Amino acid sequence: MELKHWELSPSLPPLLTDHGATVSLSSYGIKSEKDFFSAIRRVASTSYDIKKFYPDTLFKENARLPDTLILKMLTYNPAKAIGMEEKLAKIKEGNFPFFIITEGMPTDSNFVVYEMWIKNSRYTFHDLTLPDIRGNWKLHTSNDTVEYLLEIFGNLVNPVAKFYYRDKTSHTVKITNPALYPYTITIDLREINDTNFKGIYTGIIELTDDSIISLKLEEVRSKKQYIFKGRKAESYAYRASPPQKDTTGNLWFPFSPYGREKPLIIAEEQKRKYLLKNGTVWLFAPDTILTSIDILIENGKIKKIGKDLSEPGAIIVNCTGKHITPAIIDEHSHIAIYGGVNESGDAISSEVRIKDVIDPEDINIFRELSGGVGISHLLHGSANPIGGQTVVVKMLWGVLSQ
């Protein structure tokens, strides 16, 4: 069930929103605060086939929540829940500063919080003045016309870089400290085929102006130095992590092991006709066993019993070699009851009723059905000499509340 919860939990915000609920997202229950925004991104990037649960939903099939609505679930909705939306969730004249300065939205894989403002306090986490060097840079040296490529992507405070040598092989550029600019780097080029250029290099990346980047490299052992300069490719858009393509799994009715993928609707079941063919039927009045018998069920009742029956449109159930007997009746049971059946604080509990605390999702209902039990008599516990009112229940599994 933990895996099923993990699978379906991102679908709760759109489902609740679609039914008019005001949803707030919090970090409650997150094992690590580092997982919070990845969970937010999973909600945002997963498409939801809501129509298979609710055909009349306002959401389009396989739709996703808009980023603006998710941001509202993180800011405005929780502020409104405590009656502070005007002061905390609106940036307007006369209000104290209560906002963050970010790159991207919380739903973006490159989301970064640069600053947090609370009243008169300013909290700085990353330098807002860092230059944006992300892009595809076409490089060359002063004495070489061959183009090299430097690709820088990710977010500004933790960029990722790759260097493409003239043979188009890709080599990871390790940025020593992304918080310090110009960036000091290390590149391992020992695997390239060019013996004159092989080696491990350290160097510096910086912008000489807004449109030209400089990459200075020095080989660790030989101390050979190279200076690359170049311009950004015009068509570049900085790379983000690809969105997930998950779709919602199926709900279970009830939401427990062995739940049905569709709820059992009695009215619809009664519309179906079933023809059980060629079974051995046990009759106890009179005490007789009938072999090779057919049973026709229509409108939820046995309509005919006989041999070689036929019925247009009926669902055929082959019972050859099988026995058909009345279901077992369990006259003393304590299953499917919320909170237990013994009242330790009061010996006399005649004022209570078992039918008020029936749990229709108790897995024991499924277990009793699988063992042939069709009816159970649910009793109070033995701790009370005079217990409450008992109840007789017919076993149904996967039926919505009755």
Side-chain angles (χ1 to χ4, degrees):
M1 291 309 297
E2 288 185 9
L3 286 175
K4 196 64 177 175
H5 171 79
W6 177 87
E7 178 189 24
L8 293 176
S9 58
S11 66
L12 288 178
L15 289 175
L16 292 171
T17 300
D18 194 47
H19 281 70
T22 300
V23 177
S24 298
L25 301 176
S26 81
S27 59
Y28 178 80
I30 295 287
K31 293 182 179 179
S32 169
E33 65 274 9
K34 295 179 181 179
D35 297 331
F36 178 63
F37 284 108
S38 61
I40 295 297
R41 287 190 284 273
R42 185 164 177 249
V43 171
S45 61
T46 304
S47 59
Y48 304 98
D49 191 1
I50 297 178
K51 287 189 180 295
K52 70 181 176 183
F53 304 140
Y54 302 100
D56 298 329
T57 180
L58 299 177
F59 281 90
K60 295 179 180 179
E61 189 171 359
N62 291 327
R64 57 184 292 273
L65 283 177
D67 290 345
T68 52
L69 184 55
I70 294 177
L71 183 61
K72 190 175 181 180
M73 292 177 180
L74 291 166
T75 57
Y76 182 84
N77 289 357
K80 187 176 181 181
I82 60 174
M84 296 290 287
E85 70 273 18
E86 290 297 323
K87 293 185 177 180
L88 300 182
K90 292 186 177 181
I91 301 175
K92 64 180 183 179
E93 294 180 2
N95 275 7
F96 285 110
F98 188 78
F99 54 76
I100 54 178
I101 300 175
T102 74
E103 178 186 2
M105 296 282 283
T107 54
D108 188 348
S109 60
N110 292 325
F111 174 70
V112 174
V113 177
Y114 285 92
E115 294 188 0
M116 176 80 183
W117 292 61
I118 302 178
K119 287 194 173 182
N120 296 322
S121 299
R122 177 186 179 186
Y123 302 90
T124 300
F125 309 109
H126 301 289
D127 186 0
L128 277 168
T129 64
L130 280 176
D132 188 355
I133 64 170
R134 293 172 299 181
N136 282 342
W137 299 89
K138 294 180 178 180
L139 307 178
H140 59 82
T141 62
S142 58
N143 57 356
D144 190 352
T145 58
V146 176
E147 278 192 343
Y148 304 82
L149 179 66
L150 178 65
E151 182 186 22
I152 305 174
F153 54 96
N155 58 52
L156 279 177
V157 301
N158 192 25
V160 179
K162 289 185 178 295
F163 179 76
Y164 293 83
Y165 187 63
R166 62 176 69 184
D167 59 1
K168 307 304 181 183
T169 56
S170 169
H171 306 274
T172 299
V173 178
K174 182 180 179 181
I175 299 176
T176 307
N177 188 346
L180 295 178
Y181 178 83
Y183 300 117
T184 57
I185 64 165
T186 303
I187 309 177
D188 187 347
L189 298 177
R190 289 176 295 179
E191 300 300 323
I192 63 175
N193 294 323
D194 188 344
T195 56
N196 293 324
F197 207 77
K198 276 187 176 183
I200 298 176
Y201 289 82
T202 59
I204 294 175
I205 299 177
E206 63 180 329
L207 285 177
T208 57
D209 59 36
D210 290 341
S211 58
I212 297 177
I213 199 169
S214 171
L215 170 62
K216 299 176 182 178
L217 296 180
E218 180 179 277
E219 209 282 319
V220 173
R221 292 185 178 181
S222 67
K223 303 302 180 181
K224 288 183 180 179
Q225 294 183 348
Y226 299 88
I227 298 177
F228 298 85
K229 291 187 177 182
R231 296 181 180 274
K232 187 184 294 186
E234 295 180 0
S235 61
Y236 179 77
Y238 79 85
R239 185 192 302 185
S241 299
Q244 298 182 22
K245 297 181 180 180
D246 298 342
T247 56
T248 46
N250 293 317
L251 287 177
W252 290 340
F253 301 91
F255 193 64
S256 68
Y258 303 104
R260 304 164 65 102
E261 289 195 355
K262 292 183 179 180
L264 178 63
I265 301 174
I266 301 301
E268 291 186 3
E269 286 293 320
Q270 290 179 345
K271 293 177 183 177
R272 297 187 177 96
K273 293 186 288 186
Y274 293 91
L275 183 57
L276 283 63
K277 297 287 291 182
N278 204 33
T280 298
V281 179
W282 292 61
L283 301 177
F284 297 102
D287 196 3
T288 306
I289 300 174
L290 305 178
T291 58
S292 302
I293 294 296
D294 301 342
I295 300 177
L296 176 63
I297 300 174
E298 189 174 332
N299 295 323
K301 293 185 178 181
I302 298 174
K303 186 176 181 180
K304 290 181 182 178
I305 299 177
K307 290 181 178 289
D308 300 322
L309 299 182
S310 62
E311 180 67 26
I315 299 171
I316 305 298
V317 180
N318 184 7
C319 296
T320 302
K322 306 299 187 295
H323 295 267
I324 303 172
T325 79
I328 296 170
I329 299 175
D330 184 357
E331 74 282 356
H332 186 132
S333 180
H334 300 293
I335 71 164
I337 299 174
Y338 284 114
V341 294
N342 290 302
E343 174 53 61
S344 59
D346 188 1
I348 309 301
S349 57
S350 55
E351 70 277 11
V352 299
R353 303 181 302 183
I354 294 294
K355 76 174 186 178
D356 295 327
V357 288
I358 292 176
D359 179 6
E361 298 187 358
D362 185 359
I363 187 62
N364 288 303
I365 294 176
F366 177 83
R367 290 169 178 158
E368 294 221 354
L369 282 168
S370 65
V373 177
I375 292 177
S376 280
H377 183 204
L378 306 185
L379 304 165
H380 58 82
S382 302
N384 305 102
I386 301 178
Q389 189 179 108
T390 64
V391 67
V392 176
V393 296
K394 180 172 61 175
M395 296 298 183
L396 296 172
W397 186 246
V399 180
L400 298 178
S401 58
Q402 297 187 75

